[in-house]
Amino acid sequence: MKKVVVLTGAGMSAESGISTFRDAGGLWEKYPVEQVATPEGYAANPKLVIDFYNERRKQLLEVEPNMGHILLAGLEKDFDVTVITQNVDNLHERAGSSKVIHLHGELTKVTSSRHPDDPRYVKELAPENYEVKIGDLADDGSQLRPFIVWFGEPVPMIETAIEYTEMADVFVIIGTSMNVYPAAGLLNYVRPGVPVFLIDPNPVNISSGRKIHVISKGASAGMEELEKILSNML
């Protein structure tokens, strides 16, 4: 079975109504990144940061996977599919994707403030308990914080993502500006000769020098086109 590895970014979830950070009117315009997505911001005002992610979590209850997510999950009928996502939402899983690597953490999980990467302290929140409060503690006695990789923090899952990328028979990029590292560097690990597809309605500046098949559409329409192309590879 051919291995298809898909790197997804904010554009994958935009059609579901998830606010993107970088676009005009996006979250960064309302909340400075330094306040809500850095260890320093969290140290300065933990309540602001915890409330910010509580709101993001509540938004998950109001949105559904879009056709792009569903078509991507459907590729598993014919391909060995691994999704590497920069998104912290759970829409890939809800659409039925079975192998999802979250580079930047997961919104539905919380962890220890003291040891954020220690799997012993990571826990999944039930939808009815999406509200985290100051005073809610991890098992090591520290404040529960969002299980999110903030700017300036290491990206623990990048090595795993690289391993899958190196094994890809087809590499697909959907809805990411390719500006955020280390995720943007994954393209450098795709073997020579492996076809690369890029689905994005906006121009994406990629300077890798390799041939990229561009599908200038949103996630759902782009996945429809990709599905047809990949079916000819079977």
Side-chain angles (χ1 to χ4, degrees):
M1 209 181 232
K2 272 196 164 74
K3 291 179 171 24
V4 176
V5 176
V6 185
L7 173 64
T8 69
M12 185 82 217
S13 297
E15 290 173 38
S16 293
I18 296 267
S19 304
T20 60
F21 281 92
R22 292 172 185 282
D23 291 346
L27 289 171
W28 289 153
E29 286 187 9
K30 300 178 191 136
Y31 299 91
V33 60
E34 300 80 16
Q35 283 185 1
V36 295
T38 63
E40 295 78 13
Y42 179 61
N45 192 340
K47 185 176 189 309
L48 173 79
V49 175
I50 285 169
D51 288 347
F52 174 81
Y53 289 97
N54 284 340
E55 289 303 314
R56 306 280 75 69
R57 240 175 256 121
K58 283 184 204 152
Q59 190 188 23
L60 287 184
L61 300 173
E62 299 162 7
V63 298
E64 297 291 336
N66 61 56
M67 189 50 68
H69 292 110
I70 292 162
L71 291 172
L72 179 48
L75 289 182
E76 292 188 15
K77 291 197 300 288
D78 299 310
F79 299 94
D80 176 0
V81 181
T82 303
V83 177
I84 301 168
T85 187
Q86 296 168 274
N87 298 336
V88 295
D89 61 59
N90 58 0
L91 295 177
H92 282 301
E93 288 88 347
R94 283 165 58 188
S97 286
S98 61
K99 273 201 291 191
V100 184
I101 297 167
H102 283 270
L103 290 179
H104 296 159
E106 297 176 66
L107 199 45
T108 57
K109 294 180 179 178
V110 286
T111 188
S112 149
S113 288
R114 202 173 294 132
H115 305 289
D117 297 330
D118 190 325
R120 291 176 301 171
Y121 304 125
V122 178
K123 70 175 197 178
E124 177 90 30
L125 296 174
E128 61 274 16
N129 294 323
Y130 271 179
E131 182 101 12
V132 177
K133 298 181 183 68
I134 293 290
D136 293 347
L137 304 181
D139 289 345
D140 65 353
S142 69
Q143 170 67 41
L144 280 175
R145 62 159 264 187
F147 183 57
I148 301 289
V149 177
W150 288 325
F151 289 95
E153 293 186 320
V155 180
M157 293 306 293
I158 193 66
E159 295 301 328
T160 306
I162 287 169
E163 285 169 25
Y164 278 99
T165 299
E166 289 175 333
M167 295 187 289
D169 298 308
V170 177
F171 191 73
V172 184
I173 302 163
I174 306 176
T176 168
S177 63
M178 299 301 278
N179 282 335
V180 177
Y181 284 84
L186 286 174
L187 190 55
N188 301 328
Y189 294 92
V190 180
R191 288 171 297 150
V194 167
V196 176
F197 296 90
L198 169 70
I199 297 173
D200 203 299
N202 306 311
V204 177
N205 183 24
I206 294 181
S207 53
S208 76
R210 70 183 294 147
K211 184 172 185 295
I212 294 177
H213 182 117
V214 178
I215 300 173
S216 299
K217 295 180 177 176
S220 298
M223 271 304 305
E224 280 181 38
E225 188 168 321
L226 180 70
E227 192 181 41
K228 292 181 188 134
I229 294 168
L230 292 183
S231 66
N232 293 327
M233 292 185 177
L234 290 170

